[in-house]
Amino acid sequence: MLKIVNIVGARPNFMKIAPLMSEYKKYDEIEPILVHTGQHYDKKMSELFFDQLGIPKPDVNLGVGSGSHAVQTADIMKAVEPVLLEYKPDAMLVVGDVNSTIACGLVAVKLGIKLIHVEAGLRSFDTAMPEEINRRLTDSISDLLFCTEKSGVENLKKEGIPEDRIHLVGHVMIDTLLSNIAKARSSSILPDLQRQKVINGESYAVLTLHRPSNVDDPEVFSKILDGLEVIQKDMPILFPIHPRTRKNLSLSNLGSRVQSMKRLHLMEPVGYLDFLQLLSNAKLVLTDSGGIQEETTVLKVPCLTLRENTERPVTVEIGSNLLVGKDPQKIIGGYFKIKNGARRECQIPPLWDGKASERIVKVILTTFCALQKVYV
Ligand code: UD1
Ligand code: UDP
């Protein structure tokens, strides 16, 4: 039996773990254990996704919650260690680049537990971004590294990671998208917004913002709002707001400014199926999210990324994603370029075909079944 502890903590982790939890069921040799760190805890940032994506209830919830980077990371480490000592897994699987990823990974390797990183090798080369630190550190201690795109493989090789640990497998988040898109079509969110006259049958944009570099400094956030103010006069913008961003609006005087923008429609964070429906019918998406740059690529909806860089360069190379940073003029320019330009037919990156989790579990089995004897 190969016992694998799987870690989730924050919203994007749930879409990534869902297809793996379901793939494990095909193999009697695997005993999966699911641990939720509790990094995200609001119903709309966590529980909702378990229900919608059919993720089993976590075996353990560490209930760690929010805190500074040091406090959150340390609390997760302290809470996960006794769980690992109790379950004695052969391997731990972590996804993405959040604090839960590195915190749990670090504890695992120090206990001699093999570490598997899904979504390895992505690099923004911007060390001011907390996720970039988490990515580099997690990759440097992982035994098996699964990449979503070619750039990930190249980055890892350059960093000296042995090639036999690296596997290009596609994207588990896209597995989830492809298996839920049909269900998302029957969400009632768009008809509801039409009925409420938030949108009137016209084109609309979707906006998400939560990067500290965009929303933690009111001066920067205010510049982004300068751009959005112009855009919302031309097209309604649906804005499911992240709790970090809502908190920052309420702590600054920007909240009233946002309220005054009649066609910038603030909403609570929405469930995955509702969000997919909003994304797939949007004229364009404005975002600083990592995952949404990739989802829009597959949905063939143009994406304006409000960042200076991206760790997902394939989306830019393919042409579905345009980096516009936080300069209002560039944001507005990008918007009109998309609105008035001809829609481009962009390709979908190799292996983003809904089968990443299948590939990953096969590699895990072939890699660890021989090693496993050492652990029993
Ligand atoms: C985290 C990840 C980020 C990821 C994002 C996905 C890190 C360093 N950052 O950022 O990479 O893109 O999740 O959404 O791990 N809060 C709530 N309710 C919740 C969760 C958070 O109110 O359920 C509020 C709290 O005020 C908290 C703040 O949001 O302090 C930030 O939460 P945190 O998990 O620290 O970082 P995120 O910005 O969510
Ligand atoms: N998402 C969602 N509801 C929302 C906003 C986003 O279901 O209101 C989904 C989105 O489709 C994607 C994931 O959340 O699957 C992205 O998470 P987020 O932007 O929080 O994190 P990041 O990808 O930037 O780490």
Side-chain angles (χ1 to χ4, degrees), residues 11-12 15 49 173 210-211 240 269-272 275 289-291 295:
R11 178 168 64 188
M15 297 74 181
F49 299 98
M173 198 174 213
H210 71 276
R211 294 261 96 84
V270 296
Y272 183 70
F275 193 69
S289 158
E295 290 170 338

Side-chain angles (χ1 to χ4, degrees), residues 39-42 66 98-99 131 210-211 242-244 247:
Q39 177 172 346
H40 283 177
Y41 43 85
D42 288 349
S66 305
V98 302
N99 283 348
E131 295 81 359
H210 71 276
R211 294 261 96 84
H242 189 283
R244 169 188 287 275
K247 185 176 77 179

